[in-house]
Every structure is written in structure tokens, then in C-alpha cells.
Amino acid sequence: MRNASLLSALGLLLAAGSAQAETVRLTVTVQNLAPANGIAFAPLHVGFGAGSFDAFNLGAAATAPIISVAEGGAGGAWQAAFAAAEPDAVRGTIGGLLLSGASAQMSFLVDSASQGFFTFASMVVPSNDFFIGNDDPREYALFDANGALQINQITLRANEIWDAGSEVFDPTAAAFVGDNGLRTDQNSVVAFNFAELAAFNGLLTGAGYNFQSGLGADSEVYRISFTAQPVPEPASIAMLLAGLGVVGASLKRRRG
């Protein structure tokens, strides 16, 4: 009976440590769902924060952060602006050039209480200035009030592809099929646009295949999946170790 009581107490310590943990190891998997020989995606820029970094807005002129993603995919200004707006956010870049059918994965340590809003952006190629991303910085609240993951997957369709309106449409100056250094400013506004991708059909891409869009408005093009594992806080670990010590000492006395 005494052993059973000790094991029960240990179980309560384990449960308490898990319940108190706010830090989670969040694994993010991205997949290109577009048809074969279709669009590819530049590395995905991601951030987990308080939901205050707003990179762009529908109907407004694109600013430097989102232009740095949409024109060339590098995203340096996006990352810098996110860091300035939310110094405590967790940020990163997932994968490289993601061709049709490919996937990439990365894990992050995230505080579910203070870093629960997910923001992302990636260039669509070939294009002059097309991208995927979330207009509303508070659209994706990954965790509920108890710290449990409440969004397991985000699936984007072709009609959710954005046009930054910052660069004139020109296949000869488009990334992945032309010379992106020849781009010309457009000075328009952010809008939805996937139909222009068909104008690249037949062009040879940088990956060596002849491009075919193959997209309809409802075609699935990109998926972001999440899994989370709790990471005990140091205080919880200390309490657990202390509990193990008590159990060990009690068992030793019984054997003695």
C-alpha cells in the first residue's frame, strides 16, 4: 500500500509539471501541394508572437517588409521588421526552394501564453511579386487558453495567392524563369491574383522543367502542419527530481 501511495504521489508530480509548462516544442511541416511542374515556393518566413506585426494589408501599397519576400524571396526586411515590432517573438525560416510534392520541417521552442500567434510569408515562383501570407496578424491563434494546440493545419488554395503590386508583370524579369534584376516598379496595391501564373506556361524554370500552372481557384497549393510537445519549466523539473528523491529514499528505507 505504501508503494502504491508513493507511486500515486509521483504521478501527481508528473501531472503538475506537465500542467505548469507553457513552453512547447512546436514542429512545423510545410508541403507544396501544387500540380507537378507547377509553382514552387521560396523558403517560408515564420514568426510566433503577440499578434502585432502586420506585414501587409489588402488594398494597400506593399511596404518594404513584404516586398522583400515577394520580390526574390529573401525576406530580410520582413525578418527585421518583425524583430523590431516584437522583440520577444520567435522567428525563423523553413526549408529552401520547395518544388511540387516536396516538404520541409523545423522545430521551435514557443511560449504558448505569449507567443501563440502565427505569422508567415513566402514568395511564389515563378512570379514577379506573388506570395503567400496572412493579412491579419491575429488570424492564427495556435493555442487555447489552457495552452493546448488548437490549429493543427493550415491549407492554402490558389485563390489565396497574393500579388504585392510592387513589380510590373513581365516574364523576362520574373524570378525562376527570367532575370529578376530587370524588374520594374509597379506602384500598385496588394491584391489576390493567381490567374497571371498561367502566362508562364511553357517557360523553362530554374529547376529545369517547363512550367505549367494547372491551377484553378480552389486548387490546394500549400499546407502548414503543426505538432506540439510540452517542455517542462525548470521549476517543474526541480520538483519532479525532488519527488523522485523522496520515492527513492522511502524505497531504500523499506529495503533496509
Side-chain angles (χ1 to χ4, degrees):
M1 288 294 293
R2 187 173 181 180
N3 284 349
S5 298
L6 289 170
L7 290 174
S8 176
L10 180 57
L12 290 173
L13 285 170
L14 287 167
S18 176
Q20 290 173 7
E22 293 181 341
T23 301
V24 300
R25 183 176 301 278
L26 187 69
T27 300
V28 184
T29 304
V30 298
Q31 300 169 277
N32 182 345
L33 306 178
N37 297 324
I39 56 174
F41 296 87
L44 185 72
H45 299 280
V46 300
F48 309 89
S52 63
F53 173 59
D54 190 5
F56 67 95
N57 291 287
L58 174 64
T63 55
I66 200 61
I67 290 173
S68 75
V69 172
E71 295 186 13
W78 189 93
Q79 291 282 353
F82 203 145
E86 298 193 35
D88 295 329
V90 173
R91 298 173 293 102
T93 306
I94 302 175
L97 179 67
L98 201 68
L99 300 177
S100 175
S103 63
Q105 187 178 88
M106 183 172 287
S107 294
F108 304 86
L109 292 180
V110 174
D111 187 316
S112 61
S114 63
Q115 299 167 334
F117 288 100
F118 175 63
T119 294
F120 66 96
S122 171
M123 184 183 188
V124 177
V125 291
S127 78
N128 294 93
D129 58 354
F130 284 14
F131 68 97
I132 55 173
N134 54 308
D135 182 357
D136 179 358
R138 301 180 73 84
E139 180 176 0
Y140 298 111
L142 295 182
F143 305 96
D144 64 20
N146 296 317
L149 188 65
Q150 63 181 358
I151 296 178
N152 300 108
Q153 197 173 89
I154 298 168
T155 300
L156 302 175
R157 300 180 184 275
N159 59 10
E160 296 174 282
I161 292 174
W162 300 95
D163 179 347
S166 59
E167 182 180 322
V168 173
F169 174 78
D170 179 2
T172 65
F176 206 45
V177 294
D179 181 354
N180 201 221
L182 300 176
R183 57 184 180 265
T184 302
D185 291 343
Q186 184 179 5
N187 300 314
S188 187
V189 297
V190 177
F192 289 112
N193 187 356
F194 78 93
E196 279 187 347
L197 291 168
F200 296 110
N201 286 350
L203 296 182
L204 182 66
T205 69
Y209 63 87
N210 290 315
F211 181 79
Q212 291 294 326
S213 169
L215 296 176
D218 291 329
S219 300
E220 294 182 347
V221 296
Y222 202 83
R223 179 169 295 143
I224 307 170
S225 303
F226 306 95
T227 58
Q229 293 181 317
V231 177
E233 300 290 347
S236 299
I237 296 174
M239 183 172 64
L240 176 59
L241 291 175
L244 289 172
V246 170
V247 171
S250 298
L251 291 175
K252 185 176 181 180
R253 283 198 299 271
R254 283 181 58 82
R255 286 195 299 269

